[in-house]
Amino acid sequence: AKASLTTDVCFYEEEMDKAVRERRRLVQQLREALDQDQFSLNWQVQASAETGEVTGYEVLLRWIQPDGTFVSPAEFIPLAEESGLILPIGEWVLRKACAEAALWEAPYKIAVNLSPIQLGHVDLPRLVHQILMETGLAPHRLELEITETAMIADLDRTTHILRQLKLLGVSIAMDDFGTGYSSLSTLRAFPFDKIKLDRSFMSELDGGPQSAAIIRAVLALGESLDIPVLAEGVETLEQLSFLRDQGCDEVQGYLLGRPKPVADSQLQDEALTMW
Ligand code: C2E
Ligand code: CA
Ligand code: CA
Ligand code: CA
């Protein structure tokens, strides 16, 4: 028994070493990615639930390594956050997104994801201001998406920064609503311009009455707080028609369009035909 215990411990140590080395390698590659232009942005359409009219696009970061390997942001964003690389990467995303959007005639809003780490960075309002000036993007066309995790660390400081950002004329959306522990108190702490209902509620919509009841409740909440609600992860016509019936304001998901590069010709005047 003793021998096998030792073997097990060695096995775990080996596995852990491997995991640590793998992470270190990925962080190093992440560092190179920024210098070597391996990042790009994909855009995913958002539309009015009632009319299908395009209202904006969410910007999503893509990393394709030199050998063609695609690494998901769900994998590398946490590493970028731990290593601090999220600051230069996040700045790159903001600047690139604003520059690409400023080239459009269409007055669509663009929504950019912010990491809590970026919010903890005091210079953020100044950085956003500087990028808006540089790119010439009208502030009302920029929306910043944040999750409640950003609010937990230091509520007073975070709301102060969010207020400064709003003074610039940009809007603030609460992302992944309903997944955290304190979505409701977060709503109370700051006047968000939009609630983005997490896509897990959509994917479970067919699974039983609970998700439908929660979606209705969140829509009612948005209505009474006078905050528009966008439903994420809309994949089927059934989901879309449910959301329309319930008075949801905006929708986003594979049904309307996959995230794609801005250069795609369709992006310019994407016709949404499912309405
Ligand atoms: P998120 O902000 O919740 O972004 C939405 C994610 O849902 C995206 O995944 C998008 O491709 C995916 N999605 C959109 N429609 C559907 C659908 O109908 N069904 C399903 N199953 N998924 C859908 P993606 O691009 O892999 O990004 C994952 C997460 O990585 C994002 O979640 C966000 O938290 C983070 N992320 C992406 N880009 C950035 C960025 O530029 N900065 C920061 N800080 N985080 C980012
Ligand atoms: Ca988002
Ligand atoms: Ca989300
Ligand atoms: Ca409404």
Side-chain angles (χ1 to χ4, degrees), residues 58 113 145 147 175-177 196-199 232:
E58 179 177 2
N113 291 286
E145 296 193 357
T147 59
D175 205 359
D176 302 344
F177 185 82
K196 294 193 79 181
L197 180 60
D198 190 72
R199 67 169 191 262
E232 298 186 305

Side-chain angles (χ1 to χ4, degrees), residues 30-257:
L30 207 49
R31 201 166 274 133
E32 290 163 8
L34 200 55
D35 298 334
Q36 297 172 4
D37 238 21
Q38 295 167 18
F39 289 124
S40 60
L41 299 179
N42 272 1
W43 298 63
Q44 189 181 33
V45 70
Q46 304 174 324
S48 152
E50 203 185 319
T51 64
E53 194 190 344
V54 173
T55 50
Y57 287 84
E58 179 177 2
V59 175
L60 295 157
L61 183 57
R62 293 292 175 259
W63 179 18
I64 299 169
Q65 298 183 321
D67 66 354
T69 309
F70 171 88
V71 189
S72 159
E75 194 178 329
F76 71 78
I77 293 285
L79 270 184
E81 288 176 334
E82 285 169 38
S83 60
L85 284 171
I86 194 66
L87 291 177
I89 293 174
E91 181 174 339
W92 181 88
V93 171
L94 259 174
R95 185 169 277 116
K96 182 81 172 171
C98 290
E100 288 184 355
L103 292 177
W104 290 8
E105 290 298 312
Y108 300 134
K109 227 178 211 173
I110 56 155
V112 178
N113 291 286
L114 281 191
S115 157
I117 312 279
Q118 286 174 279
L119 265 171
H121 192 65
V122 268
D123 282 345
L124 190 63
R126 206 169 67 191
L127 178 68
V128 170
H129 177 70
Q130 188 195 325
I131 288 174
L132 289 170
M133 290 294 133
E134 261 173 48
T135 57
L137 186 73
H140 71 268
R141 290 188 53 201
L142 179 60
E143 185 160 82
L144 301 171
E145 296 193 357
I146 69 154
T147 59
E148 66 173 53
T149 332
M151 312 289 282
I152 293 166
D154 187 339
L155 192 64
D156 286 346
R157 228 189 86 139
T158 311
T159 50
H160 177 69
I161 293 169
L162 292 181
R163 266 191 216 101
Q164 286 182 297
L165 287 168
K166 278 196 79 157
L167 284 176
L168 296 175
V170 308
S171 56
I172 313 285
M174 187 178 178
D175 205 359
D176 302 344
F177 185 82
T179 52
Y181 293 106
S182 56
S183 296
L184 291 178
S185 48
T186 305
L187 270 191
R188 191 179 49 192
F190 183 77
F192 286 89
D193 299 291
K194 187 180 287 180
I195 292 170
K196 294 193 79 181
L197 180 60
D198 190 72
R199 67 169 191 262
S200 57
F201 297 104
M202 223 48 58
S203 56
E204 285 157 19
L205 191 52
D206 314 320
Q210 284 87 356
S211 282
I214 292 169
I215 293 170
R216 275 194 208 97
V218 172
L219 293 174
L221 182 69
E223 192 73 34
S224 54
L225 292 175
D226 206 15
I227 305 175
V229 177
L230 178 148
E232 298 186 305
V234 179
E235 293 182 355
T236 67
L237 280 169
E238 289 71 29
Q239 292 167 346
L240 176 61
S241 81
F242 172 80
L243 291 164
R244 287 179 66 177
D245 290 349
Q246 301 299 324
C248 183
D249 299 280
E250 285 177 55
V251 282
Q252 180 183 347
Y254 294 161
L255 177 70
L256 293 85

